[in-house]
């Protein structure tokens, strides 16, 4: 567990990022490629990503250069997700290039002790090697992350709406209380579920505040920097895993009483809207066609349970207060 300790000053300086963090999404998407955990939630992306990596000739780069530096493990180097560039791809790439050689060596040593660093990792202390590495990251981003930029932005905007509702109802503490099952607000501490292999950790904000970054590709436990001296940032998932990792979204996400009331597909669609969902995402979650999902969304909207706004070519469905109350009651107050 990670315990993040707040003062009154920290509460005043806590914010939710306005946009996806593209450099972090690079890391999180690589973690998705290394695990079957949550694969159902990213099935379409996974197929497309594999195809794009193959077509762009990036499979060898991914396997031999990128994945060894981004292991889905208890640690990967902090400098690969710069704290001073949250939400800005160009700034993130520039920050990686500008990383001092001493810091790279120190963090690679931690990686080596934790899960093993590639033999060539020390070469990244050279400026030209870092520029070449950043070129690989950009190519990877363009191939498999950039096509989902609008989708990720829509989900994050929906998340910000939900957090704003908590802020209006209960201030920053109300916002922190609604972050999801893996983050528990127990004043003045935010308890964060963390991989068991990392052990117990305490992070004292000491007046710096906290930047909360919803992540499209992060799955499961939230992630913070290993180095407590870095600016406090917490990346957390926009999706929460059902109790059975291989179950479809609705099998575990919607309580039986809610299914009995609305029907399975509409109950699952309502749950999907709790973090913001397009019609296509509702269709995938419920295992129905896009036309069926559209009809279910219309029924939920007509009942006053969801609201729908257009984002470019897609529409985004989010819960109304009535929908949120029904979902909370139907799932025993969880979520």
């Amino acid at each position: 567990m990670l315990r993040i300790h707040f003062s009154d000053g920290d509460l005043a300086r806590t914010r939710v990022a306005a946009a996806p963090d593209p450099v972090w999404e690079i890391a999180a998407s690589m973690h998705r490629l290394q695990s079957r955990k949550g694969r159902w939630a990213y099935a379409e992306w996974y197929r497309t990503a594999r195809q794009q990596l193959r077509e762009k000739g990036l499979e060898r780069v991914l396997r031999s250069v990128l994945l060894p530096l981004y292991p889905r493990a208890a640690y990967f180097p902090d400098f690969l997700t710069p704290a001073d560039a949250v939400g800005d791809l160009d700034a993130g790439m520039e920050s990686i290039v500008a990383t001092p050689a001493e810091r790279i060596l120190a963090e690679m040593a931690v990686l080596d002790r934790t899960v093993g660093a590639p033999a060539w990792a020390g070469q990244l202390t050279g400026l030209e090697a870092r520029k070449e590495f950043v070129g690989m990251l950009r190519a990877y981003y363009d191939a498999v992350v950039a096509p989902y930029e609008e989708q990720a932005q829509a989900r994050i905007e929906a998340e910000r709406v939900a957090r704003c509702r908590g802020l209006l109802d209960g201030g920053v503490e109300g916002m922190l209380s609604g972050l999801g099952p893996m983050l528990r607000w127990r004043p003045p501490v935010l308890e964060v579920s963390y991989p068991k292999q990392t052990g117990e950790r305490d992070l004292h904000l000491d007046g710096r505040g906290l930047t909360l970054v919803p992540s499209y590709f992060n799955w499961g436990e939230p992630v913070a920097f290993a180095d407590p001296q870095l600016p406090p940032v917490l990346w957390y998932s926009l999706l929460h895993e059902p109790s059975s990792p291989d179950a479809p979204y609705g099998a575990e996400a919607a309580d039986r009483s809610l299914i009995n009331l609305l029907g399975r597909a509409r109950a699952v669609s309502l749950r999907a809207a709790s973090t913001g969902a397009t019609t296509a995402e509702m269709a995938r979650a419920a295992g129905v066609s896009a036309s069926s999902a559209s009809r279910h969304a219309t029924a939920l909207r007509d009942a006053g349970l969801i609201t729908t706004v257009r984002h470019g070519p897609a529409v985004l469905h989010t819960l109304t207060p009535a929908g949120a109350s029904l979902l909370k009651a139907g799932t025993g107050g969880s979520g």
Side-chain angles (χ1 to χ4, degrees):
M1 178 181 291
L2 169 66
R3 291 177 291 269
I4 303 177
H5 298 260
F6 286 74
S7 66
D8 289 344
D10 293 312
L11 290 172
R13 293 179 178 88
T14 293
R15 67 185 184 91
V16 179
D21 180 3
V23 182
W24 169 258
E25 298 299 347
I26 288 174
S29 67
M30 288 188 201
H31 294 164
R32 301 286 62 72
L33 292 172
Q34 297 176 69
S35 173
R36 296 194 62 83
K37 190 176 182 182
R39 178 71 58 84
W40 57 267
Y42 301 94
E44 178 187 352
W45 171 83
Y46 186 82
R47 289 190 296 270
T48 303
R50 286 297 187 188
Q51 179 181 350
Q52 287 297 307
L53 290 167
R54 194 162 49 246
E55 291 179 357
K56 303 293 185 182
L58 293 171
E59 289 180 308
R60 185 189 64 80
V61 166
L62 177 70
R63 183 174 59 254
S64 62
V65 178
L66 300 182
L67 292 184
L69 292 181
Y70 294 85
R72 187 179 174 276
Y75 177 83
F76 67 91
D78 286 335
F79 80 89
L80 295 175
T81 52
D84 58 354
V86 170
D88 189 325
L89 178 64
D90 290 336
M93 297 295 102
E94 291 170 5
S95 183
I96 292 174
V97 170
T99 306
E102 295 79 8
R103 179 180 173 186
I104 292 174
L105 288 174
E107 293 188 6
M108 289 301 180
V110 176
L111 178 65
D112 195 44
R113 292 196 302 271
T114 306
V115 294
W120 49 263
Q123 296 178 21
L124 287 178
T125 57
L127 179 60
E128 292 305 314
R130 291 200 298 281
K131 289 181 177 179
E132 183 179 0
F133 174 71
V134 161
M136 297 176 187
L137 288 180
R138 284 187 179 275
Y140 173 88
Y141 180 87
D142 290 342
V144 304
V145 179
Y148 284 77
E149 281 180 337
E150 289 188 3
Q151 193 166 326
Q153 181 65 53
R155 295 298 299 273
I156 286 176
E157 287 179 1
E159 170 67 7
R160 283 171 59 84
V161 167
R163 299 288 69 79
C164 285
R165 186 182 299 154
L167 183 67
L168 290 172
D169 290 343
V172 177
E173 294 193 59
M175 180 181 74
L176 293 173
S177 296
L179 285 172
M182 292 193 175
L183 299 106
R184 294 171 295 279
W185 175 242
R186 296 184 178 177
V189 176
L190 182 64
E191 296 181 344
V192 182
S193 296
Y194 233 51
K196 292 180 180 179
Q197 60 267 35
T198 63
E200 300 285 319
R201 287 183 56 198
D202 286 274
L203 172 61
H204 294 269
L205 298 179
D206 296 327
R208 296 173 294 172
L210 179 67
T211 299
L212 295 160
V213 185
S215 171
Y216 186 81
F217 286 108
N218 195 68
W219 183 260
E221 295 93 347
V223 180
F225 286 120
D227 184 351
Q229 300 306 312
L230 291 172
V233 178
L234 185 70
W235 293 272
Y236 68 97
S237 175
L238 287 169
L239 294 171
H240 302 300
E241 186 168 15
S243 58
S244 171
D246 297 321
Y249 194 81
E252 296 292 335
D255 185 85
R256 177 56 54 188
S257 61
L258 195 62
I259 294 174
N260 290 341
L261 177 65
L262 298 176
R264 180 189 174 280
R266 289 180 187 174
V268 173
S269 296
L270 187 69
R271 167 62 76 171
S274 67
T275 52
T278 64
T279 303
E281 289 171 330
M282 279 187 172
R284 288 196 296 272
V288 298
S289 68
S291 59
S292 293
S294 181
R295 289 195 296 273
H296 292 313
T298 298
L300 293 172
R301 186 169 56 251
D302 289 346
L305 300 177
I306 66 171
T307 185
T308 302
V309 295
R310 180 164 291 280
H311 285 268
V315 293
L316 182 71
H317 310 286
T318 57
L319 294 180
T320 64
S325 296
L326 178 62
L327 185 63
K328 184 176 181 179
T331 56
S334 63

